[in-house]
Amino acid sequence: MSLVAFRFPVDRLAGRRYPEAPHPFRSEFQRDRDRIVHARAFRRLEDKTQVFGEGFSDHFRNRLTHTIEVAQIARTAASALGLDEDFTEALSLAHDIGHPPFAHAGEDALNAAMKRFGDSFDHNVHALHIVEYFESRYARFPGLNLTFEVREGMVKHSRDFLPGERPEFKEYLPGLRPPVEAQLIDLADEIAYNTADLDDGYSAGLFSIGEIAASVPGYGSLFGEVRSLYPEAQDGILFQEALRKLIDLLASGLIEGTRDAVAASGCKDVEDVRRAGRRLVTMRQDAAAATRQLKDFLHRRVYSIEPLQAERRRATDQIWRLFEHYVQSPERLPEPHLGRTARLPLHRVACDYIAGMTDGFFRRTYAREFGSETPLNG
Ligand code: MG
């Protein structure tokens, strides 16, 4: 069964904030995808940490290569299910553009710093502000003027909300689920980062194949299969062979699990999906189990290791310190950020400025503002 009946009808878009004439050969979702690819915030993903910061290896993922992996998995799933691939691709490419420098440590540090002012930082809100205000490329409007559906998918990336729960998102249909194309992104993201972190962790020498197999039996049997197929091959190659099969298992688990869940839900069209009361995108049971085991393994053997924890602590301290510095000495903010303080609270301006930084720009700024001190990872 294909889900073509649930494909978002691109001719029934809620539209753009500033109306625009149709393009002669690109759909509205293709235009959104292209606008995201041409955004500065998208290019900055290249110098933002995914898990391993600089200094570990030159061929580990950064947030840009991670984003491309998410897009590839999500597009495969959308196309296999008969959904709108362009819609899914646009959302995949945008899904991490609101991330501050230094991955989750950066987000937690900014959020904690903002709490002191009774405010908060959330990368999905920041992503919305980027595409609504901060990108500046059009004479007629601020931001990228993306379709409502893409903006809705961005704010509902990983979590839905009830009416009244997120006042800043009140126009984005609180209480309703996003279309299936948008629901795919969160799980495609998980497949991409779980398998990539396993790959990078193995390359970093953090664990052996036997240790993965003991914790993730699904991976163990895939590895056994490839070893009997290629008994002469080296472990590093067999690791990759089994990893490819693992990505395939998880992606097909996402496709089949979603197809079955939609069939079982009784939903007939996109409107039913919106009102289903829960997300319908889900993984087949074996793939969901492998995902849980993989996450648990990665927490124990990758995310919690001391070198990454040390990097987190350093990133947290330095983000906190730079934030405090701008709140104490706003004249150190460059334009146009300084100008924004006339309209917005200073802590908000400082937070937005830091959130937009790449890891490298943060390090250079920190070194400049605090003089002789060693920059992060310096
Ligand atoms: Mg991601």
Side-chain angles (χ1 to χ4, degrees):
M1 174 194 132
S2 135
L3 298 188
V4 75
F6 301 89
R7 180 188 176 101
F8 192 88
V10 73
D11 54 342
R12 288 219 319 262
L13 285 169
R16 301 183 188 278
R17 219 180 268 294
Y18 304 87
E20 294 182 54
H23 190 274
F25 53 83
R26 287 182 303 159
S27 78
E28 297 305 321
F29 288 136
Q30 289 173 338
R31 294 173 89 181
D32 280 5
R33 173 201 60 200
D34 299 348
R35 287 173 191 203
I36 292 159
V37 169
H38 286 107
R40 283 180 163 197
F42 181 77
R43 292 194 294 278
R44 290 200 300 263
L45 292 171
E46 183 189 18
D47 187 19
K48 293 203 182 198
T49 295
Q50 176 65 17
V51 172
F52 295 92
E54 69 158 25
F56 278 92
S57 162
D58 283 346
H59 49 249
F60 286 0
R61 274 80 178 172
N62 60 47
R63 218 159 263 283
L64 180 62
T65 63
H66 158 71
T67 293
I68 295 168
E69 293 181 358
V70 174
Q72 165 235 8
I73 291 166
R75 269 178 31 220
T76 300
S79 132
L81 291 168
L83 300 168
D84 192 312
E85 220 176 302
D86 302 318
F87 185 10
T88 299
E89 185 179 19
L91 282 172
S92 305
L93 296 175
H95 91 281
D96 269 354
I97 60 167
H99 266 286
F102 311 121
H104 291 287
E107 177 162 26
D108 294 347
L110 279 179
N111 192 36
M114 291 292 276
K115 281 235 163 79
R116 273 185 37 230
F117 296 89
D119 211 330
S120 63
F121 175 79
D122 171 296
H123 76 267
N124 289 325
V125 181
H126 189 65
L128 184 67
H129 290 168
I130 287 172
V131 302
E132 289 267 81
Y133 315 114
F134 299 154
E135 287 292 326
S136 176
R137 326 176 41 83
Y138 292 86
R140 282 178 51 222
F141 43 75
L144 304 177
N145 198 29
L146 301 179
T147 58
F148 173 86
E149 286 73 13
V150 166
R151 283 179 279 130
E152 182 206 9
M154 289 174 66
V155 303
K156 292 180 181 168
H157 167 53
S158 45
R159 200 162 80 78
D160 300 315
F161 43 87
L162 294 167
E165 198 185 337
R166 303 291 300 267
E168 70 275 35
F169 294 156
K170 65 176 186 300
E171 70 176 291
Y172 296 104
L173 311 175
L176 299 188
R177 304 311 124 177
V180 188
E181 284 91 342
Q183 294 187 26
L184 282 173
I185 313 302
D186 197 27
L187 289 187
D189 189 18
E190 279 198 13
I191 295 173
Y193 66 67
N194 286 327
T195 53
D197 295 345
L198 190 70
D199 188 10
D200 291 346
Y202 177 72
S203 302
L206 300 182
F207 43 76
S208 69
I209 290 168
E211 287 171 322
I212 311 170
S215 296
V216 189
Y219 179 88
S221 39
L222 294 173
F223 188 82
E225 279 173 33
V226 298
R227 193 172 46 190
S228 51
L229 267 175
Y230 310 107
E232 306 297 319
Q234 290 174 348
D235 269 6
I237 297 289
L238 293 178
F239 171 83
Q240 292 296 331
E241 285 284 343
L243 183 70
R244 283 173 36 230
K245 283 180 181 285
L246 180 66
I247 298 173
D248 206 55
L249 173 103
L250 299 175
S252 59
L254 169 64
I255 293 163
E256 286 168 24
T258 299
R259 194 156 31 201
D260 294 349
V262 173
S265 72
C267 289
K268 296 277 178 274
D269 57 21
V270 178
E271 270 316 299
D272 290 348
V273 169
R274 282 199 172 289
R275 293 174 197 288
R278 63 193 157 80
R279 292 197 170 204
L280 296 175
V281 165
T282 186
M283 276 192 184
R284 211 175 48 208
Q285 246 173 12
D286 61 325
T291 298
R292 280 192 300 275
Q293 294 156 359
L294 202 50
K295 272 180 185 294
D296 178 60
F297 181 74
L298 292 167
H299 273 286
R300 284 187 288 111
R301 303 303 301 268
V302 179
Y303 310 138
S304 60
I305 61 164
E306 180 50 28
L308 288 189
Q309 291 300 320
E311 225 176 61
R312 278 185 73 96
R313 287 192 296 272
R314 189 157 49 166
T316 303
D317 289 351
Q318 296 196 349
I319 284 186
W320 188 282
R321 189 172 175 208
L322 190 62
F323 175 88
E324 203 56 40
H325 171 67
Y326 286 130
V327 168
Q328 298 299 327
S329 316
E331 73 285 355
R332 297 300 304 164
L333 285 163
E335 290 295 354
H337 303 278
L338 183 57
R340 295 181 74 223
T341 59
R343 309 188 300 281
L344 291 164
L346 178 54
H347 64 270
R348 170 52 56 194
V349 176
C351 175
D352 285 343
Y353 180 43
I354 294 172
M357 293 181 182
T358 60
D359 295 10
F361 187 83
F362 181 94
R363 282 189 203 101
R364 293 191 298 279
T365 306
Y366 189 91
R368 189 190 61 230
E369 294 302 309
F370 299 113
S372 60
E373 301 204 18
T374 320
L376 198 65
N377 286 345

